[in-house]
């Protein structure tokens, strides 16, 4: 899905152009809807809920059996071991399918994905985008990626090795804070532009623009 209009894309693109006018570094911006589908997390939740339902039935079968008897007309009968085993399996399958369907709804799924898992997946996806779009694609290996993942509410700044060797993670943390301040208010384009501005200032300090510098990477925001 598209989060930004053409005018909002232009805000980020213009910010990149201004930032790169002061440095030989290259800034790439990526806005993603999500960084992963989290199918494995949905599977684990579904299996866990199914196992829990089957365990509860094994420990306290009578309430389940009484409910089933009431649903089929109120008649009770002696349950055989085979019928109880079948009921256990059916209950597990129903719990698995219902949980899977519920967690297919993004609004619920992204609430049950653990925070550290989101952070790790966003970091991995940012690295993947960096390797494809920025790493070692500049003359002096001075590429920086600003990556924002909307569903996870996470952002990453990834830099080429020569930059990482001179700029500490704390410095990028300040740029991240400025960016997220606007984004939390719903101003995504303005937030990314603020992040670009801060990154550009850092790059200008360590990698000032040279007379023969050329624009090696596109300035436009990549929305995926």
């Amino acid at each position: 899905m598209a989060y930004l209009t053409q005018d909002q894309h232009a805000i980020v693109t213009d910010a990149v152009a201004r930032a790169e006018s002061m440095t030989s570094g290259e800034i790439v911006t990526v806005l993603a809807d999500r960084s992963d589908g989290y199918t494995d997390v949905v599977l684990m939740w579904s299996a866990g809920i199914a196992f829990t339902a089957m365990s509860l039935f094994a420990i306290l079968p009578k309430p389940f059996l009484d409910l089933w008897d009431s649903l089929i007309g109120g008649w009770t009968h002696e349950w055989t071991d085979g019928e109880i085993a079948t009921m256990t399996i059916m209950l597990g399958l129903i719990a698995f399918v219902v949980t899977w369907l519920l967690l297919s709804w993004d609004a619920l799924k992204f609430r049950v994905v653990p925070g550290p898992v989101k952070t790790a997946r966003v970091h991995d996806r940012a690295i993947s985008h960096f390797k494809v779009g920025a790493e070692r694609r500049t003359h002096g290996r001075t590429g920086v990626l600003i990556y924002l993942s909307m569903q996870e509410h996470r952002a990453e700044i990834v830099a080429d090795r020569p930059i990482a060797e001179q700029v500490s993670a704390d410095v990028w943390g300040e740029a991240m804070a400025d960016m997220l301040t606007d984004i939390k208010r719903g101003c995504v384009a303005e937030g990314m532009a603020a992040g670009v501005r801060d990154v550009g200032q850092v790059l200008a300090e360590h990698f000032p623009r040279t007379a023969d510098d050329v624009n090696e990477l596109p300035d436009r925001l990549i929305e995926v």
Side-chain angles (χ1 to χ4, degrees), residues 156-217:
E156 289 276 342
I157 297 176
V158 186
D160 258 320
R161 184 181 297 275
I163 297 175
E165 289 175 347
Q166 297 192 42
V167 181
S168 69
D170 292 341
V171 174
W172 298 135
E174 295 174 6
M176 190 82 72
D178 285 345
M179 179 169 66
L180 294 180
T181 297
D182 286 326
I183 291 173
K184 288 176 181 178
R185 298 202 312 263
C187 303
V188 177
E190 289 78 4
M192 294 200 75
V196 169
R197 179 199 63 215
D198 290 353
V199 169
Q201 290 173 351
V202 173
L203 291 176
E205 179 181 349
H206 296 278
F207 301 91
R209 186 180 178 89
T210 59
D212 59 347
D213 183 73
V214 295
N215 192 11
E216 298 174 274
L217 297 176

Side-chain angles (χ1 to χ4, degrees), residues 78-194:
E78 293 296 325
W79 288 83
T80 67
D81 291 343
E83 289 174 331
I84 292 178
T86 302
M87 180 66 75
T88 304
I89 295 172
M90 288 181 57
L91 184 62
L93 288 173
I94 291 171
F96 183 92
V97 171
V98 169
T99 304
W100 184 279
L101 291 174
L102 286 174
L103 295 183
S104 296
W105 180 35
D106 284 345
L108 181 58
K109 174 168 61 179
F110 282 93
R111 287 183 178 274
V112 303
V113 176
V117 174
K118 292 180 183 176
T119 300
R121 301 286 169 90
V122 170
H123 178 73
D124 290 346
R125 185 54 59 90
I127 294 295
S128 296
H129 279 292
F130 177 71
K131 288 181 176 179
V132 172
E135 186 179 31
R136 300 182 181 182
R137 295 189 61 187
T138 60
H139 177 69
R141 294 182 60 185
T142 53
V144 176
L145 172 76
I146 299 177
Y147 178 79
L148 178 64
S149 192
M150 298 298 292
Q151 293 287 358
E152 290 90 350
H153 297 170
R154 301 286 195 281
E156 289 276 342
I157 297 176
V158 186
D160 258 320
R161 184 181 297 275
I163 297 175
E165 289 175 347
Q166 297 192 42
V167 181
S168 69
D170 292 341
V171 174
W172 298 135
E174 295 174 6
M176 190 82 72
D178 285 345
M179 179 169 66
L180 294 180
T181 297
D182 286 326
I183 291 173
K184 288 176 181 178
R185 298 202 312 263
C187 303
V188 177
E190 289 78 4
M192 294 200 75

Side-chain angles (χ1 to χ4, degrees), residues 4-123:
L4 302 182
T5 64
Q6 287 187 342
D7 289 342
Q8 290 170 325
H9 270 259
I11 291 174
V12 181
T13 300
D14 291 345
V16 173
R18 286 196 300 272
E20 291 182 352
S21 68
M22 301 180 297
T23 174
S24 59
E26 295 286 335
I27 302 172
V28 177
T29 54
V30 177
L31 173 65
D33 175 54
R34 67 195 66 198
S35 295
D36 194 74
Y38 301 99
T39 305
D40 57 331
V41 177
V42 172
L43 177 61
M44 286 189 290
W45 270 101
S46 301
I49 296 297
F51 180 78
T52 300
M54 295 170 70
S55 299
L56 288 175
F57 179 75
I59 296 171
L60 298 170
K62 192 174 186 305
F64 291 93
L65 297 178
D66 289 345
L67 175 62
W68 179 257
D69 287 335
S70 67
L71 291 175
I72 62 174
W75 295 92
T76 59
H77 69 280
E78 293 296 325
W79 288 83
T80 67
D81 291 343
E83 289 174 331
I84 292 178
T86 302
M87 180 66 75
T88 304
I89 295 172
M90 288 181 57
L91 184 62
L93 288 173
I94 291 171
F96 183 92
V97 171
V98 169
T99 304
W100 184 279
L101 291 174
L102 286 174
L103 295 183
S104 296
W105 180 35
D106 284 345
L108 181 58
K109 174 168 61 179
F110 282 93
R111 287 183 178 274
V112 303
V113 176
V117 174
K118 292 180 183 176
T119 300
R121 301 286 169 90
V122 170
H123 178 73

